Amino acid sequence: MTVTRGTVTIDIDHCKGCELCIAACRPAVLRMSEETNENGYRFPLLEPGCTACRACRDVCPDYCFEVFKFDRPVTS
Amino acid sequence: MVAKLLQGSDAVARAALEAGCRFFAGYPMLPFTDLLEAMARQMPAVDGVCMNAETEIEAVNMTLGAGAAGARAATGSCGQGIALMQEAIAEAALNEVPFVVFNMARGQQDYFQATRGGGWGDYRTICLAPKDVSEAVEHTQLLFHLADQYRAPVMMYGDYLISHTYMSVDITRRDYGELPPKDWALDGSKGGTGHSRQVWTWAMGKANDPGPGPDLHWQRIAAKFEEVAAAEQRWEAIDCEDADTVVVSFGTCGPFVEQVVAELREDGVRVGAFRPISLWPFPEAALAEACRNARQVLVFEVNAGQMIDDVRLSIGGRIPVRPLGRVSIDFSGMRQGEILTVGWIRDRVKAAMQEVPAR
Amino acid sequence: MTDVAQRKVASALAPLQLSGEHHLCPGCGHPVAWRLLLEVIAELELEKKAIGVVGHGCYTNIVQLADIDFLQCLHGRAPAVATGVKRVHPDAAVFTLQGDGDVASEGLAEVLHTAARGERITTIMLNNGVFGDTGGQMTAASVVGQRTKTSLEGRDAEAHGYPVPVADLVASLAGAAYVARGAVNNAGSIAKTKRYIKRAFEAAVAGEGFTFVEVLTMCPTGWFLPTADGPDYLEGTFEKTYPLGALKGR
């Protein structure tokens, strides 16, 4: 069972594949894609379990993340 | 006209304040120091700022900041101190920040530095060289106007004699005409409006309002200085129309050469005096015209030959251009030395005229 | 999950930020510092009083990206230029944004004199120990052992001397009212650094004196590292030479 409290939008076109968000994500729900964007960079994908802690947005040098908090957690 | 007997540095400071100068920064170096001290005494009374900067480089950069913020700002130094300021003078020419630089030089050896500019880039610096304190007062106010009119740093070539001589002068504010408002100046007020301001040599502009970029920006600035060159030449020509020999000098050497010419004219000698008042833009055409009937041009400057390059460019090889002066500095190292006397100059002019006989 | 009601808790762009597109490297720490600076200016409602004086480095790009008044100035000279600006506009929130090359190398006289004079301005020094914009040469702040283009075997104290701890020097001056050192290599440090920057602006605007925040940032390019290794390298080397925290003032 996974509890998800929020979600993010990721601007994959501007991602430069630095992976700082992967390490910063506290619930570890980001993993890098296999495919690449138009600039040749892999980008993060979101898995269930986001807590809307905003660490990804805080560390991202390319301003790729918007963070949303759910009104009530979702269990899946 | 209200005249007061004032020492040169004091007169220049008062004239600057009359022109609206409210920020001054400098580092002590004689003979500029007297101007710094005069500013320190006088600025508080007009709620202005006088900074005794810790270095010349900081002084000129403070002045650049004050000018970019919209104030009438000035700095100054001499010789090696001006050399330290060249980077910032060039920067201000390229990012279009106005301020006045008072080069209270140690004699006449700063001509190259004042006119060629020691900084990077395709820029020019208006440089006015007053012959006495009265002209220095006039130039002081004119320079603040020119700096704002053209949005550029400008320079006065003064010296020890200007700094220390007492003269009866009128420092009342002169009116040089309307200037556009400084809506480009930084004050923070446009922050968050989408129209915030930017002062940058590279003029790249903002993401929502791109600028021309360095290539077009620097081309425009080069073209601006060509306009300035055409419009701001100043000179004084005395008795040149029928002169066999024209003697060229600048700054405080001017009155000495004037006196020599007056004395020789009384003896029936056809000699004239030409004094560029703007060292840049150098009055090339006016000098060529003044020497139209001459057989030679003599250049009296107290250095190893600096202004003579500009004289040669003006004359274009048509007639001989010969140096009269040399390096000559007094025991203090602050001012022109032993050759700056009417007698010394007159003897050399007469000798030179023997060598190229009159018509 | 998309039909659950939700609210935005963090925007991508910072307030006053015109664009997120910049030319800095993947994994660079500077853009995080930019965001903190702009958030502080917006939260303190200083956008109509803020005038930034920016030195020379990759971070200079901010003068195009942020909607506040900027003056881009000569390398090292920003504190002197800012002094002139502040003396003309004493009510403005005047700050400088510079790198370690700009401050510790070229502009050490400027920052120390400005701090000693207690000019009511804030200097933010982004410290990654390299001249990044020119390809990664050593600065006066590069740490011993750090490999750069001019110290390829690692900075050697015998040959290259020791780094200059600018924040400590500034803190020793009576005119400095608040001095702190932060970092942007993890979310916790980022949050603390934002508080340092906010305190620095508050103190300068309140007229307490000169305020200084050194911000350690990652430069994986200059450090010859994969981007993901930047944060650990910063912690393992830079933080040892430059301890984090408030050095002066509360």
Side-chain angles (χ1 to χ4, degrees):
Chain A
M1 261 200 344
T2 307
V3 177
T4 301
R5 303 178 189 279
T7 188
V8 299
T9 60
I10 304 174
D11 180 359
I12 63 173
D13 291 330
H14 284 104
C15 176
K16 290 183 186 148
C18 73
E19 301 187 23
L20 293 184
C21 55
I22 308 298
C25 178
R26 293 183 181 119
V29 296
L30 290 171
R31 64 168 175 83
M32 294 304 277
S33 64
E34 290 305 314
E35 55 175 318
T36 57
N37 65 15
E38 282 191 354
N39 295 319
Y41 293 112
R42 296 189 300 130
F43 47 85
L45 300 169
L46 183 69
E47 294 172 342
C50 174
T51 61
C53 77
R54 308 188 302 213
C56 54
R57 196 278 315 228
D58 287 350
V59 303
C60 176
D62 289 281
Y63 311 109
C64 294
F65 291 91
E66 287 193 324
V67 183
F68 299 84
K69 188 152 177 123
F70 294 157
D71 282 2
R72 51 178 179 76
V74 171
T75 305
S76 62
Chain B
M1 141 127 169
V2 175
K4 290 186 75 161
L5 183 65
L6 295 172
Q7 194 176 37
S9 289
D10 200 20
V12 166
R14 287 169 195 258
L17 266 50
E18 278 291 302
C21 177
R22 289 296 178 267
F23 184 93
F24 191 84
Y27 182 92
M29 188 169 176
L30 286 168
F32 160 76
T33 306
D34 303 279
L35 179 56
L36 174 61
E37 291 178 358
M39 285 289 188
R41 285 193 301 274
Q42 295 172 30
M43 271 292 190
V46 298
D47 278 331
V49 174
C50 178
M51 309 277 306
N52 186 167
E54 294 85 348
T55 67
E56 286 92 341
I57 292 178
E58 286 170 79
V60 68
N61 277 282
M62 290 178 191
T63 302
L64 193 160
R72 278 199 160 177
T75 182
S77 187
C78 55
Q80 295 90 335
I82 294 285
L84 290 171
M85 294 185 172
Q86 295 284 8
E87 189 197 29
I89 293 171
E91 179 83 352
L94 296 178
N95 68 11
E96 301 194 278
V97 170
F99 56 82
V100 180
V101 180
F102 290 98
N103 183 355
M104 304 306 272
R106 291 180 172 179
Q108 301 220 309
Q109 293 171 297
D110 262 346
Y111 184 95
F112 276 155
Q113 173 166 226
T115 57
R116 267 59 180 159
W120 177 93
D122 282 294
Y123 73 100
R124 297 288 196 165
T125 308
I126 293 175
C127 182
L128 303 182
K131 67 176 178 183
D132 58 23
V133 174
S134 179
E135 230 179 45
V137 163
E138 178 202 333
H139 289 176
T140 295
Q141 297 202 2
L142 175 58
L143 283 166
F144 280 102
H145 181 87
L146 292 174
D148 284 349
Q149 179 181 353
Y150 293 111
R151 277 187 66 180
V154 297
M155 182 180 287
M156 184 170 93
Y157 194 116
D159 65 10
Y160 182 97
L161 294 176
I162 299 279
S163 179
H164 281 82
T165 307
Y166 279 81
M167 197 159 185
S168 178
V169 291
D170 175 11
I171 52 115
T172 317
R173 183 169 187 144
R174 292 160 167 79
D175 181 10
Y176 291 107
E178 285 286 309
L179 288 166
K182 293 187 179 180
D183 52 11
W184 51 265
L186 307 175
D187 64 3
S189 65
K190 293 250 169 100
T193 65
H195 301 289
S196 50
R197 303 179 180 95
Q198 183 189 85
V199 173
W200 191 8
T201 50
W202 280 44
M204 303 280 280
K206 304 260 181 171
N208 66 339
D209 185 16
D215 189 19
L216 292 177
H217 180 61
W218 296 340
Q219 285 186 41
R220 178 178 67 74
I221 290 183
K224 175 173 77 171
F225 283 117
E226 288 192 21
E227 274 179 39
V228 175
E232 303 299 336
Q233 295 176 32
R234 292 171 167 79
W235 67 91
E236 182 178 39
I238 298 172
D239 283 343
C240 290
E241 297 78 16
D242 66 339
D244 285 317
T245 293
V246 173
V247 185
V248 186
S249 68
F250 76 90
T252 52
C253 292
F256 290 80
V257 169
E258 266 185 61
Q259 177 65 19
V260 167
V261 163
E263 289 179 7
L264 291 177
R265 277 282 174 180
E266 272 182 18
D267 294 343
V269 177
R270 289 209 295 261
V271 64
F274 186 94
R275 183 174 64 90
I277 296 175
S278 57
L279 302 185
W280 192 87
F282 194 85
E284 294 181 357
L287 176 55
E289 174 63 21
C291 298
R292 189 167 31 96
N293 295 319
R295 294 164 74 79
Q296 71 172 335
V297 181
L298 304 176
V299 181
F300 177 72
E301 53 184 334
V302 187
N303 56 43
Q306 298 192 15
M307 181 182 60
I308 195 168
D309 286 7
D310 287 334
V311 176
R312 288 196 169 113
L313 283 169
S314 306
I315 299 302
R318 190 177 63 79
I319 50 176
V321 174
R322 304 164 63 199
L324 274 192
R326 61 165 167 81
V327 170
S328 175
I329 202 85
D330 83 325
F331 70 94
S332 73
M334 301 290 162
R335 50 155 289 187
Q336 294 92 318
E338 61 181 5
I339 72 169
L340 186 57
T341 67
V342 170
W344 194 97
I345 301 168
R346 187 181 57 230
D347 289 349
R348 300 289 179 303
V349 170
K350 285 167 74 170
M353 292 188 78
Q354 309 281 15
E355 292 161 18
V356 177
R359 290 188 293 273
Chain C
M1 267 186 267
T2 52
D3 52 2
V4 175
Q6 58 192 34
R7 60 192 163 81
K8 189 193 289 192
V9 293
S11 294
L13 293 185
L16 304 168
Q17 190 171 359
L18 297 165
S19 167
E21 294 200 7
H22 58 71
H23 55 68
L24 279 67
C25 298
C28 173
H30 286 358
V32 177
W34 285 345
R35 198 193 75 240
L36 301 182
L37 170 66
L38 296 177
E39 285 178 352
V40 165
I41 290 173
E43 286 168 24
L44 294 177
E45 295 180 11
L46 294 175
E47 59 267 15
K48 292 212 176 346
K49 295 169 58 164
I51 304 174
V53 182
V54 182
H56 276 277
C58 304
Y59 55 87
T60 306
N61 201 192
I62 196 179
V63 309
Q64 297 167 269
L65 300 177
D67 190 21
I68 58 176
D69 281 6
F70 277 116
L71 166 51
Q72 197 285 314
C73 70
L74 290 162
H75 202 44
R77 315 301 175 210
V81 176
T83 295
V85 174
K86 179 74 178 185
R87 292 307 189 106
V88 170
H89 294 304
D91 294 334
V94 181
F95 67 94
T96 78
L97 182 66
Q98 308 167 254
D100 54 289
D102 211 277
V103 180
S105 290
E106 185 75 49
L108 201 53
E110 281 75 8
V111 70
L112 293 179
H113 288 144
T114 305
R117 259 184 276 115
E119 301 291 336
R120 277 74 164 154
I121 67 178
T122 300
T123 284
I124 311 248
M125 175 175 114
L126 305 180
N127 185 0
N128 54 18
V130 285
F131 284 110
D133 207 15
T134 49
Q137 298 79 30
M138 191 169 53
T139 75
S142 302
V143 301
V144 171
Q146 185 182 343
R147 294 178 59 221
T148 71
K149 294 277 181 67
T150 47
S151 61
L152 286 169
E153 305 302 315
R155 180 172 189 159
D156 169 14
E158 266 297 302
H160 309 121
Y162 298 90
V164 176
V166 180
D168 299 86
L169 293 177
V170 170
S172 73
L173 301 171
Y178 178 80
V179 179
R181 189 183 281 121
V184 294
N185 60 331
N186 59 60
S189 285
I190 288 170
K192 285 196 184 121
T193 300
K194 178 172 170 175
R195 287 200 293 277
Y196 298 153
I197 295 175
K198 192 170 214 166
R199 180 71 196 105
F201 269 82
E202 286 171 341
V205 168
E208 293 175 30
F210 179 79
T211 65
F212 183 88
V213 181
E214 181 175 327
V215 181
L216 304 181
T217 62
M218 300 79 70
C219 180
T221 306
W223 295 347
F224 306 106
L225 291 176
T227 54
D229 294 355
D232 284 345
Y233 181 82
L234 191 157
E235 184 179 335
T237 56
F238 275 77
E239 286 186 23
K240 302 248 178 319
T241 300
Y242 300 117
L244 304 184
L247 280 74
K248 186 173 192 181
R250 51 163 195 86

